[in-house]
Amino acid sequence: MTILDFLRGDPGAGRVVPPAGSTGRLVGLGTAAMAFLAVFAIALAAMLFRLGDSWRTDLADTATVRITSLGEARDADTETALEVLRTTPGIASARVIPDLEQQALLEPWFGKDLPLDSLPLPRLIEVATEGGGFDARALDLRLAGEVPAARLDDHDRWRAPLARAQGRMTGVTLAALALIAATLAAVTALAARAALSANAQVIDVLRLVGARDTWIARAFVRRITLRAFLGAAGGSLLAAAILATFPAAGTAGLPALRPGGLAWALLVPVPLFAALVAWITTRRSALRMLKGRP
Amino acid sequence: MIDLSQVTVAFGGRVVLSDVTLSLQPGDFFFLTGPSGAGKTTLLRLCAGAMAPAKGEVRLFGRPLSEMTSDARASARRRMGIVYQDTQFLDHLPLEENVLLPFTVRGRLDAELRAQADDLMTWVGLAGHRAALPPTLSGGERQRAALARALLTAPELVLADEPTGNLDWEMSLKLLTLLIELNRLGTPVLMATHDLALIRAAKPLVNARVLRLKDGQLTQAGAAL
Ligand SMILES: Nc1ncnc2c1ncn2[C@@H]1O[C@H](COP(=O)(O)OP(=O)(O)OP(=O)(O)O)[C@@H](O)[C@H]1O
Ligand SMILES: [Mg+2]
């Protein structure tokens, strides 16, 4: 039995199995729920992917040097640090972030009327890299020698745990998807077995008139697979409709959960995949069960 | 075409068939008699490949049943016309579709076959019941439909389990005559029946042998019949 035969269907085979009762409804409901969850898991995975992407592009080519000394020493230290940076290979430019800009950076956290002068704020030097970047350890050592009050912050330090967290979250999401698929497989396998046990007499009659086991299995499998497909289509449409009501822009530094553009296309295979899982598992358990019944 | 050699069947320790040997060859006409519970149905199911014996060998069309795959068993069954005693219909399908079921499962159902089925159903007096669901029919009506279905496939042999059990005398004779006609063309028939009158009626028409099943033993009944 190929997929093509299966889709073409066999009007006779479709009719020999009595109308599915509660089993059919449960398969529909179960796959709808699984598809609903799967769609959210996929949306979450897509969001995490974009999150990692934005961190990489935003942070990849920059680093910051902090000057922590105060008063007159600060200006001198800034000059020396700039000099060191200019002579470091792999650094394209270094620029002192003006107070005004620094105030803008801090405004979201401390409010508008921040008295910058009275605060022991470090001065920040923004470093743009070029080529393959610079050797952070060597620069760290050089700064420590020449400007003890300067600290290199190459972003890797706090980017690494974020990236690790993102990787773990992605892993958890993928595991959730795998669990959803496994649950779906279990539900449909159970449904196939229930349908076959409930229709023992149908199987006997079909065998009496010379039906092959594959033909009998197909009659049941087709029914359950179609149910699974319709259930999953309903579940994913509902989930997609809910996602569509979410804001398109993200908040609090997180990208939006609502998929954009191509990510919507990722949801299309959900019902197809559900149908495929249903087809494989019901066919396997149906054939195995028929084999156990002489 | 069907050979049972020294076949033993037991259900839960109770031996139903013991060392039974039987060979069904082209042209044979066997009546299978015996008290209720003697194992007639069991013997027919063995012949249909629907169950396996505990001991002994069953051969269908020359092939040992024990070596046949489920597909091979299905193929063998397609060459037989089988009428069971009960539960042989899909209760949710109209009678006509049940009669055409052997062709549905073969995937070749055409207008010509439908016409043939129509004729045969009319002949056995079921013209008005084509659209009826099996559970709404009488036992005799179902038996006639089962025989019509078995014969529609032009089987190479016929296994019939009490096909006239619920029929009036006239209809019984009619179906018996049909089976005898088929047998004259060479089709072997194995028919389980309680109806001694029917066996006597067949005597002048066909060279039938009467097999008697009792206490697990299969014997050929004497001239007393
Ligand atoms: N699947 C089964 N499981 C257990 N016992 C069975 C099974 N099939 C048949 N039997 C037993 O085997 C014996 C023979 O049954 P069978 O149906 O072959 O008798 P029969 O000769 O056809 O009887 P009848 O004339 O009433 O139809 C009976 O005692 C029956 O209870
Ligand atoms: Mg019986």
Side-chain angles (χ1 to χ4, degrees), chain B residues 91-125:
Chain B
D91 290 345
H92 63 286
L93 287 187
L95 196 61
E96 182 168 35
E97 299 217 25
N98 268 291
V99 169
L100 289 166
L101 206 53
F103 301 100
T104 306
V105 305
R106 286 161 171 77
R108 53 175 200 84
L109 192 54
D110 55 33
E112 194 187 331
L113 279 167
R114 285 186 186 274
Q116 272 181 30
D118 246 30
D119 286 351
L120 202 50
M121 286 179 78
T122 307
W123 195 78
V124 297

Side-chain angles (χ1 to χ4, degrees), chain A residues 10-13 15-19 201-215 293-294, chain B residues 50 70-71 73-75 77-78 82 84 87-94 97-98 101-102 104-106 149:
Chain A
D10 176 343
R15 310 231 313 130
V16 298
V17 180
Q201 193 195 319
V202 170
I203 294 168
D204 287 345
V205 172
L206 292 176
R207 281 183 165 164
L208 163 69
V209 297
R212 296 209 167 92
D213 282 0
T214 44
W215 192 90
R293 273 180 64 92
Chain B
S70 74
D71 275 3
R73 287 197 296 271
S75 301
R77 253 173 243 144
R78 289 180 182 196
I82 306 168
Y84 278 148
T87 59
Q88 42 193 333
F89 295 110
L90 300 180
D91 290 345
H92 63 286
L93 287 187
E97 299 217 25
N98 268 291
L101 206 53
T104 306
V105 305
R106 286 161 171 77
R149 176 171 73 188

Side-chain angles (χ1 to χ4, degrees), chain B:
Chain B
M1 301 177 94
I2 293 184
D3 297 280
L4 312 185
S5 59
Q6 301 183 314
V7 164
T8 296
V9 172
F11 292 112
R14 203 169 73 80
V15 174
V16 174
L17 299 178
S18 162
D19 243 5
V20 167
T21 298
L22 173 70
S23 173
L24 190 65
Q25 299 304 332
D28 284 344
F29 199 115
F30 290 153
F31 285 109
L32 181 61
T33 63
S36 176
K40 301 182 293 295
T41 298
T42 305
L43 192 133
L44 283 169
R45 282 170 53 78
L46 277 174
C47 292
M51 62 182 289
K55 270 207 333 240
E57 192 184 52
V58 176
R59 280 174 172 269
L60 307 182
F61 303 105
R63 289 184 64 186
L65 179 65
S66 55
E67 289 171 16
M68 289 167 86
T69 61
S70 74
D71 275 3
R73 287 197 296 271
S75 301
R77 253 173 243 144
R78 289 180 182 196
R79 300 168 67 178
M80 309 175 183
I82 306 168
V83 178
Y84 278 148
Q85 217 167 349
D86 46 23
T87 59
Q88 42 193 333
F89 295 110
L90 300 180
D91 290 345
H92 63 286
L93 287 187
L95 196 61
E96 182 168 35
E97 299 217 25
N98 268 291
V99 169
L100 289 166
L101 206 53
F103 301 100
T104 306
V105 305
R106 286 161 171 77
R108 53 175 200 84
L109 192 54
D110 55 33
E112 194 187 331
L113 279 167
R114 285 186 186 274
Q116 272 181 30
D118 246 30
D119 286 351
L120 202 50
M121 286 179 78
T122 307
W123 195 78
V124 297
L126 291 172
H129 296 293
R130 282 189 200 108
L133 294 181
T136 67
L137 295 171
S138 76
E141 285 162 344
R142 281 200 294 269
Q143 280 183 324
R144 281 179 270 157
L147 193 67
R149 176 171 73 188
L151 299 186
L152 192 61
T153 58
E156 292 174 41
L157 59 88
V158 174
L159 305 173
D161 198 356
E162 311 256 13
T164 60
N166 293 309
L167 296 181
D168 56 77
W169 177 245
E170 208 176 321
M171 185 53 82
S172 301
L173 266 189
K174 198 172 165 181
L175 295 191
L176 177 69
T177 317
L178 180 62
L179 287 175
I180 289 174
E181 282 301 319
L182 268 177
N183 180 251
R184 287 215 174 110
L185 300 173
T187 311
V189 175
L190 174 55
M191 173 172 163
T193 183
H194 284 296
D195 195 343
L196 296 188
L198 197 68
I199 296 176
R200 281 193 203 104
K203 264 207 148 176
L205 302 174
V206 64
N207 183 20
R209 273 187 288 164
V210 180
L211 308 174
R212 188 168 166 73
L213 200 54
K214 191 159 183 272
D215 301 327
Q217 309 287 323
L218 188 68
T219 52
Q220 192 154 337
L225 269 169

Side-chain angles (χ1 to χ4, degrees), chain A residues 136-196:
Chain A
R137 269 177 64 84
L139 181 60
D140 226 9
L141 284 174
R142 239 186 107 195
L143 283 173
E146 297 187 31
V147 201
R151 271 274 164 283
L152 173 69
D153 184 355
D154 69 354
H155 294 174
D156 266 348
R157 232 165 286 171
W158 60 275
R159 191 168 54 185
L162 273 182
R164 267 202 304 279
Q166 184 225 353
R168 265 203 297 272
M169 285 290 287
T170 309
V172 167
T173 315
L174 290 179
L177 278 173
L179 280 177
I180 289 170
T183 310
L184 178 66
V187 166
T188 48
L190 275 176
R193 250 171 270 174
L196 284 155

